[in-house]
Amino acid sequence: MLKEMNLKLVLSKKGKNGAKGRFYRKSLIMILIVASIPGLITGALVYGIAGGRLESELLQLHNKQIEQRARSIDMQLTNLELTLSHWAFDSKFDYSLESRNFIQDFEKARDITKTLLVMQGSNTINKLVELYLGGDGQPVLFDPEYAPLTAKPAHDLYEGLLRSDKVTYWTEAAFDPQRPQAKELTLVHHIPGGSLKPFGALLIRLDNEKVGDMLRSMTPYDGGETFFLQDNGKLFASTGGNGIESPFVAALREEIAAKGRDEGSFFFDWSGSTFTVTYGKFSRIADSWTYVSASPITSITAPVVFISKIIFTVSLSALLLAALLAWFASRTIYSPVNRLLTVLMAGKSLPQENGDEFSLIERQWHNLSRESTELHSKLSEQLPYVKESFLHQLLQGYLYAYSEEDLLGRMERYKWKVDNHRFIVIYMQLTGMTSLEGKFKYGDEGLVTFAAVNMIEEFAAQHFEQSKTINFHDLSAGLLLIVPKDGDYASELHAFGGELTHAVNHILNMRLTIAISEPADAVSNIPLSFEETKHAASQRNFGNENQLIDIGQLHARGDSSEEPQYPFTLEREFIQALRTGQAADAGELLRAFLDTLSCKGAKAVDVQQGMLHLLGSVQHAIMVSGIQPTRLFKCVNMYEQLSQIREPQLILSWFQDRVCEPFLKELGGRSDSQVKKLIEQAMIYLQQNYMKDISLDNCADHIGTNPFFLSKSFKQVTGKNFIDYLTGLRIDKAKELLRESGLKINDVAEQVGYQHSYFNRIFKKLEGMTPSMYRELSQAE
């Protein structure tokens, strides 16, 4: 508050020259105009629109929506009737069901259950599809599962449905004896279809909640009432919870009866509210229903007209309020200008000059910009961090797009002397982290590397005029030396390496590998030299000892070392021990395998490649055992983790903990029952997706195993190959479609997952005849 009061006092002094007043008045007038005019225009437009034809337009829109949604409901109910009639005449529901023993013929019972489930899922408003079989024997009810009907109330209910003189009809019935008021809208069809002596019935019981939702779709507004009823008054369904004898429903029925028309619309006043009513007819099987939709329209039109008048009136009176708000808004807008002036002036008094605040801000901004430029030039002198970033990008090859001239220019700007100089790259790697005499443990890599980098910088400064060290934070570091072209630096390099190695051994109790590149005459060759030194460091002997590798001497001497021999016998024995669950033997064989790779002066890269090859062989064995490596190792990149480990003991521990132990644990937990359960999942997947383009691979992915294990286990459990089982399933479905449907051969082929030409060949191969001949023979029979 005190700061704001001081600022106002300063600005009030400046206001004598008119700076604040000019800007303030302009903003005030502009905000006043913007705040007032839109309100007046909006009020007039809303009043004109709402006071005109809104009510009639809403009525027409309501009637169109009701008629459209009524047609949709009519089509949905008609679809139910056609579906039920189609299935009632199906051969599945003929006279053979009257005397069938479903306990013995369980396959027929299962087929009926599947058919009822298909019918039940064919429409969202279906609650349950049932098959009742009466006759002289034990009554049976499929709902959709088979069950003998022993309860007398239920038996009387279904027998009552069967005694109707209508073959197909709609009714309301309470199927729960405990809840006689909870009646459900039900569509009934006697079976066999067209029979004069039906012995059973197919029933579609509709979900009351979804029927209510269907009726509510005919009411576009909140409130009101929607219902339909049979003309004989036996059926009635409502969304508002009212009964057929409620005063509102009775009044609507009387008004509709007075109209004397089968369909129409009108306004209806009830209890102080106006409703728009639309009614019409549904033609049902041997019957006729009347639907009625009554929606309140007073609550929609009246508030809009009233609010539009209020808007117009308030807009006229808002002029004064707009002026007040404009004054407040202008002060709020001006507040950031005051704060900006305060910041730019940094506590100084404002100069008494003509012009508004923005002129002063502009001049002060130029002053600050000039000061910023001067500070930038000073900051550019702080080169160490910039040089380190540049060198890191250079070594990693990120500056490959720059020309040699550009790179030399940048190095000169960073205060390096590069004219008539050469460049040497040194790569250093620490080992022995897990040795018994070491001071550090696994996880201290960053601390160890930091200490080593400090030593490198100190010794490099003693031996060379220009040097820069890069910390890679992973027990390795890089060093760039810039030396004269005509100088002799070979002995100096070896002296530097010896002193640094002695210090690392003595202070850190670790071993050091130093790889020295050949001199590079161009800056653009530095990334290649860096890669060569890293490669040379990977060629070090795997033993825990100090090593200095001069790439120039390596090239002159050549590589006369013998090729390392991979211990294939130990690999096979180790994998066999894993497969048989022999944990102790596997551990001993793994240690022997690593010792064999590491003996006789083996190089680090050879040992690392050998262990990576062993990891690949183990992963292959895991897949053959029916286990997905990605699931077992939780999607971890095992090759990347292993390639980052350089210590022998760490490699051994990592392999035992991260590879062997999870595999052995998984093997111990598996059993034959799990295999059978897995194959059952595969069979269910094939039965549900046989019409799609499925293969052994995507089936294995679906059930969470690999194709090798699935193929082997599928044959063991089912006695059939995977592809033979899938082909048999598809041909059985195709024969069913050829017998029981009128689909074209092309359509039958597509529905069972085959191309037309291939379908003909495979069908003839398995059945000895073409699909067309099979259909003709089936129809003749």
Side-chain angles (χ1 to χ4, degrees):
M1 289 294 296
L2 182 59
K3 186 175 182 180
E4 292 181 0
M5 292 176 62
N6 291 336
L7 180 60
K8 291 180 179 178
L9 180 60
V10 172
L11 292 178
S12 64
K13 294 180 180 179
K14 188 176 181 298
K16 297 178 180 179
N17 294 324
K20 177 183 176 183
R22 187 181 305 127
F23 177 77
Y24 189 82
R25 284 194 300 272
K26 288 180 179 179
S27 62
L28 180 62
I29 294 172
M30 183 182 300
I31 295 174
L32 178 62
I33 294 174
V34 171
S36 301
I37 294 180
L40 297 176
I41 296 175
T42 302
L45 291 176
V46 172
Y47 180 78
I49 295 173
R53 301 180 57 193
L54 178 62
E55 188 172 84
S56 61
E57 291 292 335
L58 286 175
L59 178 60
Q60 294 179 9
L61 177 62
H62 170 75
N63 292 336
K64 290 180 181 178
Q65 290 177 336
I66 297 304
E67 291 172 359
Q68 181 180 4
R69 294 172 183 178
R71 287 194 296 270
S72 175
I73 295 174
D74 187 32
M75 291 176 61
Q76 197 167 4
L77 296 177
T78 301
N79 183 52
L80 280 177
E81 295 170 350
L82 293 175
T83 300
L84 187 62
S85 297
H86 168 77
W87 285 106
F89 284 88
D90 194 276
S91 59
K92 289 184 178 65
F93 306 108
D94 56 15
Y95 281 103
S96 62
L97 299 179
E98 185 175 10
S99 59
R100 189 181 294 272
N101 188 334
F102 291 100
I103 296 177
Q104 295 179 355
D105 195 0
F106 65 92
E107 291 186 356
K108 183 65 177 179
R110 183 176 61 180
D111 185 46
I112 291 175
T113 298
K114 289 182 179 179
T115 302
L116 296 180
L117 288 174
V118 171
M119 295 173 61
Q120 183 173 316
S122 63
N123 200 303
T124 56
I125 64 174
N126 292 348
K127 177 182 179 181
L128 201 61
V129 178
E130 297 179 334
L131 171 64
Y132 170 72
L133 300 177
D136 299 331
Q138 171 68 41
V140 173
L141 178 66
F142 286 83
D143 63 339
E145 298 289 342
Y146 164 81
L149 191 61
T150 57
K152 187 174 185 309
H155 176 263
D156 294 339
L157 171 64
Y158 286 100
E159 280 295 321
L161 298 176
L162 193 60
R163 286 194 296 269
S164 173
D165 56 347
K166 296 181 180 180
V167 176
T168 305
Y169 61 96
W170 290 87
T171 186
E172 276 188 317
F175 291 87
D176 187 356
Q178 306 298 327
R179 300 169 59 200
Q181 301 300 324
K183 296 184 177 182
E184 297 175 4
L185 189 61
T186 305
L187 178 60
V188 182
H189 198 300
H190 293 169
I191 61 168
S195 173
L196 297 178
K197 295 181 178 180
F199 62 90
L202 277 172
L203 296 83
I204 298 181
R205 294 164 53 183
L206 302 188
D207 191 327
N208 287 339
E209 182 177 349
K210 292 183 178 179
V211 171
D213 293 339
M214 180 176 66
L215 291 176
R216 275 189 287 274
S217 68
M218 296 176 61
T219 306
Y221 313 122
D222 294 333
E225 176 69 65
T226 300
F227 63 89
F228 64 75
L229 71 163
Q230 280 182 319
D231 289 353
N232 57 15
K234 292 183 179 180
L235 288 180
F236 177 82
S238 168
T239 61
N242 296 316
I244 192 172
E245 300 300 331
S246 69
F248 182 67
V249 173
L252 282 175
R253 294 176 62 189
E254 292 176 2
E255 185 70 19
I256 292 172
K259 297 292 182 183
R261 297 196 304 270
D262 289 339
E263 60 182 16
S265 61
F266 57 92
F267 285 110
F268 181 70
D269 295 325
W270 179 264
S271 299
S273 299
T274 300
F275 293 81
T276 174
V277 181
T278 300
Y279 65 96
K281 290 289 187 179
F282 286 155
S283 295
R284 302 269 58 85
I285 297 177
D287 205 346
S288 179
W289 296 2
T290 299
Y291 70 86
V292 181
S293 174
S295 303
I297 199 170
T298 305
S299 59
I300 299 173
T301 57
V304 174
V305 175
F306 178 72
I307 290 174
S308 64
K309 294 178 181 179
I310 292 178
I311 292 175
F312 187 78
T313 303
V314 170
S315 298
L316 293 176
S317 60
L319 211 48
L320 179 60
L321 179 60
L324 180 63
L325 293 176
W327 171 80
F328 176 79
S330 63
R331 291 180 60 84
T332 304
I333 293 174
Y334 193 77
S335 177
V337 179
N338 284 337
R339 293 198 301 270
L340 183 58
L341 278 173
T342 303
V343 172
L344 290 177
M345 296 306 297
K348 300 178 183 178
S349 59
L350 299 178
Q352 300 297 321
E353 297 177 1
N354 294 329
D356 59 17
E357 293 86 336
F358 291 101
S359 298
L360 177 60
I361 291 173
E362 182 180 1
R363 290 194 297 271
Q364 191 65 16
W365 175 259
H366 286 306
N367 293 335
L368 292 176
S369 178
R370 185 171 58 254
E371 294 176 4
S372 175
T373 303
E374 295 174 357
L375 290 174
H376 181 73
S377 63
K378 293 179 180 179
L379 288 174
S380 63
E381 298 175 0
Q382 308 298 320
L383 291 179
Y385 296 109
V386 180
K387 292 171 69 174
E388 182 175 355
S389 175
F390 167 78
L391 183 56
H392 190 276
Q393 295 181 58
L394 180 63
L395 292 178
Q396 299 297 331
Y398 299 148
L399 305 180
Y400 67 92
Y402 287 83
S403 65
E404 181 69 18
E405 292 75 11
D406 292 336
L407 293 174
L408 288 172
R410 291 187 64 175
M411 295 189 74
E412 289 177 348
R413 286 196 300 273
Y414 296 151
K415 309 304 180 184
W416 272 318
K417 297 177 183 179
V418 294
D419 188 23
N420 202 28
H421 280 68
R422 308 175 79 182
F423 309 96
I424 299 176
V425 178
I426 302 178
Y427 181 79
M428 287 156 281
Q429 184 174 300
L430 297 167
T431 57
M433 172 73 76
T434 58
S435 61
L436 295 176
E437 68 273 12
K439 294 183 177 181
F440 304 97
K441 62 181 182 299
Y442 186 66
D444 294 338
E445 290 86 348
L447 178 62
V448 175
T449 310
F450 176 77
V453 166
N454 288 334
M455 296 181 187
I456 295 170
E457 290 178 341
E458 180 178 349
F459 285 103
Q462 296 175 4
H463 288 272
F464 305 101
E465 182 180 354
Q466 297 185 85
S467 64
K468 184 61 182 176
T469 308
I470 295 294
N471 186 351
F472 295 123
H473 305 283
D474 60 349
L475 298 179
S476 64
L479 177 65
L480 176 65
L481 302 177
I482 305 176
V483 298
K485 281 188 176 181
D486 301 330
D488 183 12
Y489 40 79
S491 59
E492 195 70 23
L493 284 171
H494 285 79
F496 162 75
E499 294 178 8
L500 179 61
T501 300
H502 178 74
V504 169
N505 295 162
H506 180 70
I507 298 175
L508 301 181
N509 280 351
M510 296 187 69
R511 301 296 176 261
L512 180 64
T513 298
I514 302 177
I516 305 174
S517 74
E518 293 185 288
D521 294 327
V523 181
S524 56
N525 292 333
I526 292 178
L528 180 59
S529 298
F530 177 66
E531 290 300 323
E532 288 181 346
T533 57
K534 288 184 65 177
H535 178 71
S538 68
Q539 297 294 321
R540 67 180 178 85
N541 294 333
F542 196 65
N544 190 21
E545 57 185 20
N546 298 312
Q547 298 176 55
L548 191 148
I549 304 171
D550 192 329
I551 296 179
Q553 296 178 2
L554 283 179
H555 289 169
R557 183 171 61 247
D559 189 2
S560 59
S561 60
E562 297 181 358
E563 291 289 336
Q565 297 298 318
Y566 185 80
F568 289 99
T569 302
L570 287 175
E571 177 194 281
R572 288 193 296 270
E573 293 177 356
F574 170 65
I575 292 177
Q576 181 64 25
L578 283 180
R579 286 175 173 173
T580 55
Q582 302 177 34
D585 292 344
E588 293 297 328
L589 289 168
L590 177 62
R591 184 180 300 276
F593 181 90
L594 182 58
D595 292 341
T596 303
L597 282 179
S598 307
C599 68
K600 298 181 181 178
K603 295 181 179 179
V605 65
D606 296 329
V607 176
Q608 189 176 64
Q609 292 298 321
M611 295 305 294
L612 289 172
H613 185 275
L614 178 63
L615 176 60
S617 300
V618 172
Q619 293 215 38
H620 176 74
I622 292 173
M623 293 180 65
V624 173
S625 300
I627 303 172
Q628 279 287 2
T630 53
R631 177 182 62 81
L632 183 66
F633 301 133
K634 301 178 180 178
C635 298
V636 174
N637 189 337
M638 307 296 284
Y639 292 100
E640 181 180 359
Q641 285 193 0
L642 179 57
S643 63
Q644 300 298 322
I645 305 175
R646 302 186 182 95
E647 302 288 338
Q649 187 60 39
L650 290 180
I651 292 176
L652 188 63
S653 300
W654 180 89
F655 220 101
Q656 289 175 335
D657 297 339
R658 302 300 301 276
V659 179
C660 300
E661 185 175 341
F663 180 41
L664 293 171
K665 184 178 180 181
E666 182 75 12
L667 283 179
R670 296 177 59 187
S671 63
D672 291 340
S673 61
Q674 292 175 324
V675 175
K676 292 180 180 178
K677 185 176 181 181
L678 205 64
I679 299 306
E680 289 177 359
Q681 294 177 2
M683 295 172 67
I684 293 173
Y685 176 78
L686 292 179
Q687 292 171 3
Q688 294 176 346
N689 298 275
Y690 67 88
M691 71 293 298
K692 300 178 182 178
D693 184 16
I694 56 179
S695 65
L696 181 65
D697 290 342
N698 55 41
C699 182
D701 291 340
H702 176 77
I703 64 175
T705 185
N706 62 71
F708 305 103
F709 178 75
L710 176 60
S711 177
K712 179 180 176 182
S713 302
F714 201 97
K715 175 70 174 179
Q716 292 176 349
V717 175
T718 66
K720 294 183 179 180
N721 293 329
F722 176 90
I723 190 64
D724 292 339
Y725 181 88
L726 176 59
T727 302
L729 182 63
R730 286 174 168 173
I731 294 301
D732 289 343
K733 296 295 181 180
K735 289 163 62 177
E736 181 180 346
L737 291 174
L738 290 171
R739 291 193 308 268
E740 302 177 2
S741 73
L743 293 175
K744 296 180 179 180
I745 303 300
N746 290 350
D747 296 335
V748 171
E750 290 180 0
Q751 289 202 18
V752 297
Y754 284 126
Q755 296 292 332
H756 179 230
S757 59
Y758 182 72
F759 172 67
N760 284 338
R761 292 198 303 271
I762 192 68
F763 192 96
K764 185 174 182 180
K765 179 181 178 181
L766 296 178
E767 300 298 326
M769 63 183 73
T770 64
S772 301
M773 294 174 60
Y774 180 87
R775 169 173 280 175
E776 292 175 1
L777 291 175
S778 300
Q779 292 176 352
E781 292 177 359

